[in-house]
Amino acid sequence: MSTKDIYEKYRYDPTIISKSNGWFQQQANLLARERININLFHKTHGERVTQIIPGNMYMFFYDPKHKDTLPVYDMFPLVFPFDKTEDGFIGLNMHYLPYQLRIVLFDQLLKFKNTKTLDEKTRLRYSWGAVKGLARHDLAEKCVKRYLRSHLQSPLKMVNPTDWTTTLMLPVESFAKTKKNNVWGQ
């Protein structure tokens, strides 16, 4: 069963929605606490994510360097990084796609996972070159974004691979300068 099949099977299931919303509320509360008192958060909630490991999924608050000239940007990205740079990283921000297309791209990305099932050890082993070889690479192209470490507004929150599917379906995109439907319409 593909991720898209799972999405279609459970898209109207209120227990799935409840689980997603509950998980998101917990993560939002944790991130809000991080912004207020980062040191206390890390002391009480485990190890701080200090570096990007390509192939994981991350959420964070972001304030772009060139926000004045960008037509749109996501203030709360959900990113699968695929490359580190000297001053940050490049990755796929899944928020630039509507929910159903996120699942289509995610199914393609799962071809690069290092485990048979999604578990805590799962990582995506891919590069932009590999993604460009996918039949759906045009979807991925819309999501490629570069992030500067100096413009992160919160610590990175790594999403457990067992939560990737749920997280992809959360309505947490936070676009500045336009509405999400305008971004997705392009």
Side-chain angles (χ1 to χ4, degrees):
M1 180 177 274
S2 75
T3 308
K4 186 176 179 181
D5 294 335
I6 292 168
Y7 169 75
E8 289 299 325
K9 182 177 178 182
Y10 293 109
R11 75 191 280 185
Y12 299 112
D13 180 343
T15 62
I16 295 298
I17 294 167
S18 173
K19 287 177 187 177
S20 293
N21 288 338
W23 181 89
F24 170 68
Q25 189 62 47
Q26 177 188 24
Q27 298 305 310
N29 288 338
L30 294 176
L31 282 169
R33 284 186 214 145
E34 286 180 47
R35 292 186 78 172
I36 294 168
N37 188 334
I38 294 169
N39 292 330
L40 177 62
F41 175 83
H42 289 298
K43 285 179 186 173
T44 60
H45 292 88
E47 187 177 348
R48 180 179 180 175
V49 178
T50 58
Q51 63 178 327
I52 287 289
I53 300 172
N56 286 325
M57 178 190 275
Y58 298 90
M59 301 182 328
F60 50 92
F61 290 101
Y62 192 71
D63 185 37
K65 180 177 181 177
H66 299 290
K67 67 182 175 187
D68 294 335
T69 58
L70 288 171
V72 64
Y73 59 91
D74 185 6
M75 298 180 292
F76 189 61
L78 178 65
V79 179
F80 281 112
F82 59 82
D83 194 15
K84 287 184 179 182
T85 63
E86 190 174 304
D87 55 358
F89 57 95
I90 302 170
L92 300 173
N93 182 347
M94 302 300 280
H95 285 166
Y96 282 84
L97 294 175
Y99 305 110
Q100 287 181 316
L101 293 180
R102 288 179 197 179
I103 295 301
V104 170
L105 178 57
F106 183 58
D107 270 342
Q108 295 293 311
L109 292 174
L110 287 178
K111 293 176 182 178
F112 301 111
K113 71 183 186 303
N114 65 336
T115 57
K116 290 184 180 186
T117 61
L118 287 177
D119 60 37
E120 292 180 1
K121 295 179 182 179
T122 302
R123 303 290 173 270
L124 299 179
R125 305 276 186 224
Y126 72 105
S127 65
W128 177 240
V131 173
K132 283 177 70 171
L134 295 174
R136 294 286 189 166
H137 86 276
D138 54 326
L139 292 178
E141 213 166 68
K142 295 171 183 3
C143 302
V144 175
K145 304 295 173 190
R146 182 174 180 202
Y147 296 95
L148 301 173
R149 186 168 283 284
S150 61
H151 285 264
L152 295 177
Q153 297 295 296
S154 71
L156 297 160
K157 184 73 176 174
M158 189 172 81
V159 178
N160 187 312
T162 59
D163 294 324
W164 285 356
T165 305
T166 302
T167 306
L168 284 169
M169 302 313 296
L170 296 173
V172 297
E173 53 282 329
S174 183
F175 293 110
K177 300 187 179 183
T178 192
K179 295 179 180 182
K180 64 184 176 185
N181 290 337
N182 293 336
V183 173
W184 297 343
Q186 297 172 6

